[in-house]
Amino acid sequence: MSEHVRQKVVGIVAEQAVLQPSDIRMDQSLEDLGIDSMALVEAIFSIEEAFDIQVPFNANEPDKSEFDISSVGAIVAAVERLVAEQSG
Amino acid sequence: MRRVVITGAGTINPLGHSVSETFEAFREGRCGIGELDIRDVDRLSIRIGGQVKGYDPETRFNRQQLALYDRFTQFTLIAGEEAIRQSGLEFSGHLAAEAGVVLGTSGGGLNTQDENYRVVYEEGKNRVHPFVVPKLMNNAAASHLSMTFNLKGPSFTVATACASSNHAMGQAFWLIRGGAATVMITGGSESMLCFGGVKAWEGLRVMSKDACRPFSANRNGMVQGEGAGVFVFEEYEHAKARGATILAEVVGFSMTSDAEDIVMPSTQGAARAIQGALKDAGIPAEKVGYINAHGTGTAANDKTECAAVARVFGHHADRVMISSTKSMHGHLIGGTGAVELLACIMALKDGVIAPTIGYEEPDPECALDVVPNVARDAKVDYVLSNAFAFGGSNAVIALKRA
């Protein structure tokens, strides 16, 4: 499960960053990857579609959202939690 | 140069069904935002908005009219009737030929589109009402105003998202000032509070789930509203000759483009528009007593707008009052500048500054006098109304006390 989530999230992030998935590291921030606010909103939409989940995220207060976007690894962990919470 | 004055105003919006009801709500700092009452609201994650309440279309229009009037057209005709009645004008002969209408809207007949897409896609029907096209088109409201009141000059519609109304009123100002018209009916209307309209906005993730709190540090997004504001702009000598009551004078207008980003606002674009309106009006910034802000309650707009005002006004930025009435009526998108011009007229005419309600925590990035929560008595001679739209379109209007 975890590897599957990681691969899909990395694929989505890589697409927005216009990089190869192999270039994405778990400790990188979205800023490191050159992902701006528009690309972030698109990435979240892709994540919702890919995992059939609702991601709580308000672009006006990204730091206050329950969804941790501080690094690629944090996003993977947050998606895993949402998938577990919202499955079934 | 020909001068342009406002001799009539009308509105229907979440705060009231007339200008006097709206002024009363502005004075009291009343909030018109509440739970949305629309079809399929349970499938939305954003469930609040500034809806026009207590309105039954069938008491205002007959069945034949309603077959042709989308909600945004209904709002326009109601507001237009109030404005023209106040002006005392009747359009016939030469005056009809020299009178026109220019309105702003962003979504036009969005309710009509939403309802009819449902019919063909969701319900699988293969037939729609014959008047879908003339009902949904963006210029329907302008054309129905022209037909209803016999306005035979220029009649057209401007669509620049959240700047539509200000752009429209700017065109009306220019047409009269430049000699192409004697009277222009102008303003804007919007009715996007339907399932598809709100769903599309949800996608951007800039909407608040609880309230619109412009300039407050804990603001968390915009809230949509609906309604219309319509005004009679008239050439000054014409108005004076017939002894019309003048509500305010339109003295300056400026439009600029950021040329940067499709959604993120820019300080330079906004500042150039504010500066341009002052220059067009021929006044220094120090003369401006009040600014009706664009003030959407998003993180991005409010700090950018405050930076633009600070840049143009310098030291005077600490003395000018700036408030966002969107906190009360929500963001009327293409109609917003028109309803907000009412707050400007109230400031000039009645000496009452509408507040920014819902203001809870100071934000160092919005350190201006935002007239928090309570209306204020103040005599002002000049006011500005800001609109900064998606697409990087900026439009600022300057008004002077009559």
Side-chain angles (χ1 to χ4, degrees):
Chain A
M1 177 61 194
S2 178
E3 193 48 39
H4 165 74
V5 170
R6 179 202 287 247
Q7 265 182 24
K8 270 196 180 175
V9 170
V10 165
I12 288 164
V13 169
E15 192 186 343
Q16 289 299 335
V18 200
L19 291 168
Q20 292 300 315
S22 54
D23 296 332
I24 308 285
R25 294 195 323 269
M26 285 299 113
D27 62 337
Q28 283 176 306
S29 71
L30 298 181
E31 201 178 357
D32 295 337
L33 294 164
I35 291 180
D36 66 10
S37 61
M38 292 273 278
L40 170 59
V41 168
E42 263 198 287
I44 289 173
F45 168 72
S46 299
I47 287 169
E48 288 184 324
E49 287 286 288
F51 297 98
D52 192 22
I53 54 174
Q54 292 288 327
V55 176
F57 179 80
N58 180 338
N60 292 289
E61 42 186 12
D63 307 333
K64 284 189 201 161
S65 297
E66 296 151 51
F67 191 71
D68 185 355
I69 54 162
S70 57
S71 67
V72 178
I75 294 174
V76 172
V79 171
E80 283 173 344
R81 197 169 56 249
L82 288 171
V83 170
E85 283 169 11
Q86 296 179 19
S87 63
Chain B
M1 184 127 60
R2 284 154 58 101
R3 291 164 66 187
V4 180
V5 293
I6 303 176
T7 55
T11 188
I12 178 165
N13 68 70
L15 298 174
H17 295 192
S18 66
V19 171
S20 59
E21 285 178 31
T22 305
F23 281 3
E24 186 182 298
F26 280 162
R27 284 194 300 268
E28 292 175 358
R30 201 188 305 147
C31 187
I33 293 167
E35 284 186 19
L36 280 176
D37 177 16
I38 56 174
R39 188 171 168 184
D40 288 337
V41 69
D42 54 315
R43 285 179 58 206
L44 293 169
S45 61
I46 302 300
R47 295 178 183 180
I48 59 166
Q51 267 186 302
V52 169
K53 292 280 171 66
Y55 166 61
D56 178 4
E58 290 175 8
T59 62
R60 297 298 295 250
F61 302 104
N62 66 35
R63 194 182 58 80
Q64 286 85 353
Q65 289 173 317
L66 289 173
L68 281 164
Y69 298 171
D70 180 89
R71 195 169 166 89
F72 96 106
T73 298
Q74 298 168 29
F75 290 160
T76 303
L77 288 167
I78 290 167
E81 200 270 330
E82 184 186 5
I84 292 168
R85 183 164 23 90
Q86 181 178 30
S87 77
L89 286 168
E90 280 180 27
F91 299 96
S92 59
H94 281 305
L95 185 61
E98 291 169 8
V101 44
V102 50
L103 295 176
T105 188
S106 183
L110 204 75
N111 273 282
T112 300
Q113 299 197 33
D114 203 52
E115 285 162 16
N116 287 282
Y117 278 140
R118 269 183 200 282
V119 167
V120 292
Y121 293 142
E122 189 179 310
E123 297 167 20
K125 290 190 181 168
N126 281 326
R127 191 180 298 122
V128 295
H129 191 279
F131 300 158
V132 170
V133 168
K135 197 173 175 184
L136 68 75
M137 62 191 192
N138 274 32
N139 60 320
S143 294
H144 282 298
L145 261 188
S146 148
M147 289 153 56
T148 304
F149 294 98
N150 196 37
L151 310 164
K152 295 185 169 174
S155 132
F156 62 110
T157 297
V158 177
T160 43
C162 315
S164 303
S165 277
N166 271 20
H167 273 149
M169 295 187 291
Q171 304 316 300
F173 172 53
W174 281 350
L175 282 165
I176 297 171
R177 189 165 72 173
T182 301
V183 174
M184 289 298 294
I185 310 304
T186 187
S189 178
E190 199 72 79
S191 173
M192 272 194 193
L193 295 176
C194 55
F195 179 75
V198 179
K199 184 53 84 179
W201 277 100
E202 265 182 28
L204 266 175
R205 300 199 179 247
V206 295
M207 307 290 286
S208 171
K209 288 182 179 178
D210 47 26
C212 176
R213 299 183 204 87
F215 308 118
S216 191
N218 63 345
R219 67 187 180 275
N220 61 4
M222 53 179 273
V223 174
Q224 260 202 81
E226 64 174 358
V230 176
F231 302 91
V232 177
F233 280 20
E234 184 173 355
E235 194 272 321
Y236 171 68
E237 295 296 341
H238 186 271
K240 199 173 85 173
R242 68 186 186 88
T245 301
I246 294 169
L247 304 177
E249 179 172 357
V250 188
V251 289
F253 175 64
S254 172
M255 46 205 275
T256 66
S257 303
D258 297 342
E260 285 181 9
D261 190 279
I262 196 70
V263 294
M264 291 305 283
S266 139
T267 302
Q268 60 86 11
R272 284 189 299 115
I274 296 168
Q275 189 77 63
L278 294 173
K279 191 178 167 209
D280 193 39
I283 54 166
E286 289 71 28
K287 289 215 167 186
V288 174
Y290 170 63
I291 302 171
N292 184 284
H294 191 56
T296 57
T298 62
N301 174 81
D302 295 1
K303 68 179 179 192
T304 305
E305 182 167 16
C306 288
V309 168
R311 184 179 296 182
V312 175
F313 281 69
H315 291 306
H316 184 61
D318 294 334
R319 285 189 295 274
V320 70
M321 293 172 280
I322 176 168
S323 72
S324 170
T325 51
K326 286 188 179 73
S327 55
M328 293 180 265
H329 51 65
H331 192 337
L332 275 68
I333 317 293
T336 211
V339 169
E340 290 163 30
L341 202 73
L342 291 169
C344 293
I345 291 173
M346 186 176 83
L348 293 168
K349 198 169 77 64
D350 300 347
V352 179
I353 309 297
T356 304
I357 70 164
Y359 186 82
E360 292 171 355
E361 286 177 36
D363 178 352
E365 288 193 284
C366 304
L368 301 175
D369 177 0
V370 301
V371 195
N373 301 318
V374 181
R376 196 180 301 166
D377 292 328
K379 183 168 170 271
V380 292
D381 295 322
Y382 289 89
V383 302
L384 298 182
S385 185
N386 289 346
F388 309 126
F390 278 1
S393 308
N394 310 300
V396 177
I397 295 179
L399 300 186
K400 178 177 183 277
R401 192 152 56 89

